[in-house]
DNA sequence: CTTTTTGCAAAACCTTTGCACAACC
DNA sequence: GGTTGTGCAAAGGTTTTGCAAAAAG
């Protein structure tokens, strides 16, 4: 992957925020430094960075992809009222430990990734 | 909420499948019974049912919403290769227990829902 | 009869993409 | 110089919505 000023800027923006911005929010920030940057470039680089696992994507109920520059293993808490996304840092918290933080859990969505039995046993790629 | 033949059909379809269909797949099934049903009706009812917590939504990386008629507390496993979504039934499994099922976990996304501290402490609605 | 729900089609929305030009190495 | 990345604008795909007609109670 070749260097590009735009990609470095986008990476910096994501890594230096503690919220979980959408592509549009990142575009807004990026334009402050790089007024001519285009939305397409932002999307292209976000996809690249996610593919390279330099950033994490969060698919939420607002139907926009949120990005997280922290790739360490941690989970998230989304406020049902304001929609704010809060990091739940490792070590992994149990529901009880999360509630001790003052967050009352009303629901959860946990998705694990990997290969299913069928795909894992396929000999031909 | 008033009765409608279409909503009952949609609910039946979701409750009687063990996969996690998208709106489009549900639309396809529904048309077999109700050839004139429209996509808009499917979307409207899916949103209604999700609001009423009769079904669950799953926001995945394929950018389509998947629906789950099983509202019991359970998590999901998505195969990174074929995209198949597998239910991980309760009692809640630890990563170790999931791997005993033959599923190798390479990643996870866990989102908890509730009210954040700010919203929980607001006196005025 | 009044209100809710539907079908249809258009609109809205986020994201992706084709292309010519610029930037990188 | 050859290749990769960008800007722009148009296209793509999923979901939402306005409206008149139909269904429900």
């Amino acid at each position: 992957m070749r260097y590009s000023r735009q990609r470095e800027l986008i990476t910096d923006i994501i890594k230096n925020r503690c919220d979980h911005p959408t592509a549009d929010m990142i575009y807004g920030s990026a334009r402050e430094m790089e007024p001519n940057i285009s939305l397409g470039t932002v999307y292209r680089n976000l996809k690249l960075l996610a593919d390279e696992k330099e950033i994490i994507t969060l698919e939420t109920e607002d139907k926009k992809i949120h990005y997280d520059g922290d790739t360490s293993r941690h989970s998230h808490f989304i406020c049902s009222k304001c929609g704010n996304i809060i990091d739940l840092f490792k070590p992994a918290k149990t529901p009880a430990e999360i509630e001790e933080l003052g967050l009352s859990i009303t629901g959860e969505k946990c998705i694990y990734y990997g290969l299913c039995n069928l795909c894992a046993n396929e000999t031909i790629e």
Side-chain angles (χ1 to χ4, degrees), chain A residues 79-90:
Chain A
C79 179
S80 306
K81 188 171 179 188
C82 65
N84 194 23
I85 303 176
I86 298 166
D87 281 312
L88 296 175
F89 289 105
K90 58 179 181 179

Side-chain angles (χ1 to χ4, degrees), chain A residues 86-125:
Chain A
I86 298 166
D87 281 312
L88 296 175
F89 289 105
K90 58 179 181 179
K93 301 259 185 279
T94 63
E97 290 170 316
I98 297 168
E99 299 208 332
E100 280 170 19
L101 299 174
L103 304 170
S104 58
I105 300 174
T106 57
E108 70 187 58
K109 285 182 188 173
C110 291
I111 299 178
Y112 296 91
Y113 296 88
L115 291 179
C116 68
N117 291 340
L118 259 52
C119 289
N121 290 329
E122 275 179 19
T123 45
I124 304 168
E125 186 91 19

Side-chain angles (χ1 to χ4, degrees), chain A residues 46-98:
Chain A
L46 289 173
K47 179 164 279 233
L48 259 173
L49 293 169
D51 285 349
E52 299 292 322
K53 302 197 192 309
E54 287 209 40
I55 61 175
I56 285 173
T57 61
L58 269 182
E59 291 74 26
T60 66
E61 290 172 23
D62 66 4
K63 291 175 199 69
K64 297 174 200 160
I65 301 175
H66 291 255
Y67 297 89
D68 189 344
D70 178 359
T71 56
S72 70
R73 191 164 182 167
H74 67 284
S75 41
H76 295 93
F77 183 91
I78 300 184
C79 179
S80 306
K81 188 171 179 188
C82 65
N84 194 23
I85 303 176
I86 298 166
D87 281 312
L88 296 175
F89 289 105
K90 58 179 181 179
K93 301 259 185 279
T94 63
E97 290 170 316
I98 297 168

Side-chain angles (χ1 to χ4, degrees), chain A residues 15-68:
Chain A
K15 297 281 184 186
N16 292 317
R17 302 173 66 132
C18 42
D19 61 346
H20 301 74
T22 60
D24 202 57
M25 295 163 72
I26 294 162
Y27 174 59
S29 291
R31 275 168 66 104
E32 292 173 14
M33 297 293 294
E34 192 79 31
N36 288 321
I37 197 172
S38 74
L39 231 198
T41 296
V42 171
Y43 273 106
R44 260 185 299 240
N45 281 299
L46 289 173
K47 179 164 279 233
L48 259 173
L49 293 169
D51 285 349
E52 299 292 322
K53 302 197 192 309
E54 287 209 40
I55 61 175
I56 285 173
T57 61
L58 269 182
E59 291 74 26
T60 66
E61 290 172 23
D62 66 4
K63 291 175 199 69
K64 297 174 200 160
I65 301 175
H66 291 255
Y67 297 89
D68 189 344

